[in-house]
Amino acid sequence: MIDTKRKDNLGDCQDHTPVCYGESTIKYSCDRNETAVDIQQIGYESSVLSASTSTILAGSMSMATTGLTTTMAALMECSWQSLCSYENLNLAFKKARKRKSSRKDVVEFENNLEQNIEDLRTELLLLSYNPKQLKTFVIKDPKTRTIRKSDFRDRIIHHAICNILEPIFEKRFIYDSFANRKGKGTHKALQRFDCFKRKASRNNTRNCYIFKADIKHYFDEVNHNILISIIKERVKDKRIIWLIKKVLKNHSEIKGMPLGNMTSQFFANVYLNELDKFVKHNIKAKHYIRYVDDFVILSDKREELEVYKDKIRSFLRERLELELHSTKSRIIELKQGVSFLGYRIFTHHRLLRKANIRTMQRKTSCNDYDEICEYLHGWLEYADQADTYRLRNSILGEIENRFEGNISLLEIGNIVRRMEA
């Protein structure tokens, strides 16, 4: 039965306005040896490297403490020394290893962990780091995607970069950007959508229209020069910029980022934060939600959304060199149902997309009970966010009948954890 009395977290209905999007009035360079190391003129004379390396290893900094502000203290952390520190590289290793500790490349790296971390750090300090070639494979789940996988040591570098940059850019992101951020995700985005649809429709007393948009080939079209210019507004150390360029150019020279990289997920938010600021501060759309390159704007006025659509298309084209997808970007009345985050959302209920149901049926048709249980563990959490009570019971009943008396490794692990508790 469809549940029309879904209750959401009303705390997520509050308006959240970022503290600041403008340029800081404080100008401070994180690059302690800016004149010695000019990454844009990579000659790497031995004298330059010697001066740079001795400065880095010494780790000395002279800085006036008078008038030191929180902003300057934060900028100090955005330094080459912080990125190359043992603490940051070890933390990056732990993040890169998470849920992959049994993989061969991870085990090999960990067997000689101290030396491998030291080698990585030395390559960074000497500006001699070069990422290994990406491995390419194709998945279809259900849409065909080309994934480019980085070597494990390169994934450590990706996490090391994000560890340093995330605190700087996270506070610049708007509240209603929900992808690849702590405390966000699809569940929070759906709650926010439900809140906005009530506001836009005046508690369902007016028609609610949605501008549902998708950026065409987003990850393939991100312009490196534009991305670097955005990052340079907050990061002044040229060695960090050099490293970011190394990571980007390992995929392509001018544009595009590989799906699957930690840095790609983070830079995707940095790049489209420009769109977020334009939507919130220039055209002043109230009910806007973005998840990676999918975004929606809700309103009770269709004409207003038409104006937003034209302005956003122009902004993306002129500022970010991106295009809206011609067939996937349109204005829809909510009662007709809108596809967003893998769901079909209506005025009073939420359903799963048929393509996702077909994928589930295909993946649970095999005879490997452990594989089915592992897949359903995540799928049921996803399905629980829609009105799927009967569907979930039907699937579980069918699986139990097929594998009556079986117990999966996942279930055994849960039993052991309960006993230990």
Side-chain angles (χ1 to χ4, degrees):
M1 180 180 293
I2 294 173
D3 179 10
T4 59
K5 298 181 179 179
R6 178 178 298 276
K7 293 184 179 180
D8 296 311
N9 185 353
L10 294 179
D12 281 341
C13 286
Q14 304 302 316
D15 287 330
H16 295 261
T17 303
V19 175
C20 173
Y21 285 113
E23 288 290 336
S24 171
T25 55
I26 300 169
K27 302 295 182 183
Y28 174 73
S29 172
C30 297
D31 191 348
R32 295 180 235 172
N33 196 19
E34 190 169 288
T35 56
V37 181
D38 188 352
I39 299 304
Q40 296 175 350
Q41 300 174 354
I42 301 181
Y44 296 140
E45 291 87 358
S46 58
S47 59
V48 174
L49 283 177
S50 175
S52 174
T53 307
S54 62
T55 303
I56 293 167
L57 295 175
S60 59
M61 174 187 284
S62 60
M63 180 176 179
T65 57
T66 305
L68 181 64
T69 66
T70 304
T71 304
M72 291 182 69
L75 282 170
M76 287 171 58
E77 295 305 314
C78 172
S79 67
W80 187 243
Q81 287 78 6
S82 298
L83 192 151
C84 299
S85 68
Y86 289 111
E87 293 82 0
N88 186 42
L89 291 176
N90 278 304
L91 175 61
F93 162 74
K94 291 175 182 177
K95 289 183 176 181
R97 182 189 62 176
K98 192 173 182 180
R99 293 190 290 273
K100 300 179 180 68
S101 57
S102 61
R103 286 172 45 169
K104 183 180 177 181
D105 55 346
V106 179
V107 172
E108 289 177 354
F109 191 95
E110 192 168 12
N111 284 341
N112 195 17
L113 178 61
E114 187 173 336
Q115 185 59 51
N116 286 329
I117 292 292
E118 183 65 45
D119 290 345
L120 267 181
R121 183 170 184 268
T122 301
E123 289 178 27
L124 291 174
L125 293 176
L126 295 176
L127 302 178
S128 62
Y129 166 76
N130 281 301
K132 294 185 178 180
Q133 187 174 0
L134 299 170
K135 295 179 180 179
T136 303
F137 57 95
V138 177
I139 62 170
K140 190 174 182 181
D141 190 26
K143 184 163 60 174
T144 301
R145 298 179 186 273
T146 301
I147 306 297
R148 291 178 173 85
K149 176 185 171 185
S150 296
D151 187 81
F152 180 69
R153 75 194 303 270
D154 296 326
R155 295 203 299 274
I156 293 174
I157 297 297
H158 299 167
H159 280 279
I161 293 171
C162 292
N163 288 344
I164 297 300
L165 298 189
E166 274 183 358
I168 299 169
F169 286 93
E170 175 63 30
K171 59 189 175 184
R172 307 274 169 195
F173 294 158
I174 68 167
Y175 180 84
D176 292 314
S177 168
F178 287 92
N180 307 312
R181 296 174 64 193
K182 292 179 182 178
K184 300 293 184 177
T186 55
H187 188 191
K188 293 285 187 181
L190 289 169
Q191 287 182 343
R192 192 68 163 162
F193 188 100
D194 286 345
C195 169
F196 281 168
K197 76 181 182 184
R198 291 194 296 269
K199 286 188 173 183
S201 65
R202 306 292 197 273
N203 285 328
N204 301 321
T205 61
R206 298 185 183 182
N207 291 335
C208 181
Y209 299 95
I210 298 167
F211 171 39
K212 165 69 172 64
D214 177 84
I215 296 174
K216 187 177 181 179
H217 303 150
Y218 174 53
F219 280 89
D220 292 332
E221 295 297 325
V222 171
N223 185 292
H224 293 182
N225 289 334
I226 296 175
L227 175 61
I228 290 297
S229 69
I230 294 170
I231 294 173
K232 279 183 175 180
E233 292 176 5
R234 298 295 163 193
V235 178
K236 305 303 179 184
D237 195 313
K238 294 181 181 179
R239 291 160 293 189
I240 296 179
I241 300 299
W242 165 80
L243 182 59
I244 293 170
K245 288 181 178 179
K246 279 281 186 182
V247 171
L248 292 172
K249 290 185 177 181
N250 192 40
H251 170 66
S252 61
E253 283 294 322
I254 300 173
K255 60 170 61 177
M257 301 187 297
L259 282 173
N261 275 8
M262 177 69 183
T263 46
S264 298
Q265 298 172 21
F266 174 67
F267 292 149
N269 274 338
V270 172
Y271 203 75
L272 283 185
N273 187 52
E274 300 301 301
L275 170 65
D276 298 340
K277 292 188 292 184
F278 175 77
V279 171
K280 299 300 289 185
H281 295 280
N282 291 66
I283 66 177
K284 301 186 183 300
K286 292 182 179 179
H287 307 131
Y288 166 79
I289 299 170
R290 182 177 63 80
Y291 195 96
V292 193
D293 60 330
D294 290 336
F295 60 92
V296 293
I297 304 177
L298 294 81
S299 175
D300 61 341
K301 301 180 183 68
R302 189 183 191 99
E303 299 77 14
E304 183 178 57
L305 294 180
E306 292 286 359
V307 174
Y308 290 166
K309 181 179 179 180
D310 291 339
K311 290 184 177 180
I312 288 172
R313 179 185 285 112
S314 297
F315 175 83
L316 289 172
R317 187 175 295 157
E318 295 167 8
R319 173 70 176 94
L320 301 177
E321 296 186 5
L322 298 172
E323 292 286 343
L324 289 178
H325 201 293
S326 58
T327 58
K328 295 181 180 179
S329 301
R330 55 201 180 100
I331 297 171
I332 310 162
E333 193 169 0
L334 181 59
K335 66 183 181 182
Q336 297 174 342
V338 58
S339 294
F340 189 51
L341 303 178
Y343 300 88
R344 288 280 293 167
I345 305 174
F346 297 83
T347 305
H348 296 293
H349 63 284
R350 191 187 297 155
L351 301 177
L352 302 184
R353 292 177 61 193
K354 291 181 180 179
N356 292 346
I357 296 176
R358 288 194 295 269
T359 299
M360 177 275 299
Q361 291 170 336
R362 187 182 73 252
K363 293 204 170 188
T364 56
S365 63
C366 67
N367 293 318
D368 189 329
Y369 186 56
D370 286 327
E371 184 179 328
I372 291 173
C373 287
E374 185 176 353
Y375 174 77
L376 283 179
H377 180 69
W379 186 87
L380 288 171
E381 289 187 8
Y382 151 73
D384 189 47
Q385 302 305 315
D387 300 285
T388 57
Y389 178 79
R390 290 182 179 179
L391 175 63
R392 284 179 282 134
N393 282 349
S394 173
I395 292 165
L396 291 175
E398 191 269 334
I399 297 296
E400 288 174 2
N401 289 336
R402 281 172 55 197
F403 298 95
E404 187 174 1
N406 287 23
I407 184 168
S408 71
L409 293 175
L410 183 63
E411 291 168 321
I412 292 173
N414 290 337
I415 293 170
V416 170
R417 281 190 289 273
R418 284 198 296 269
M419 292 176 65
E420 291 176 346

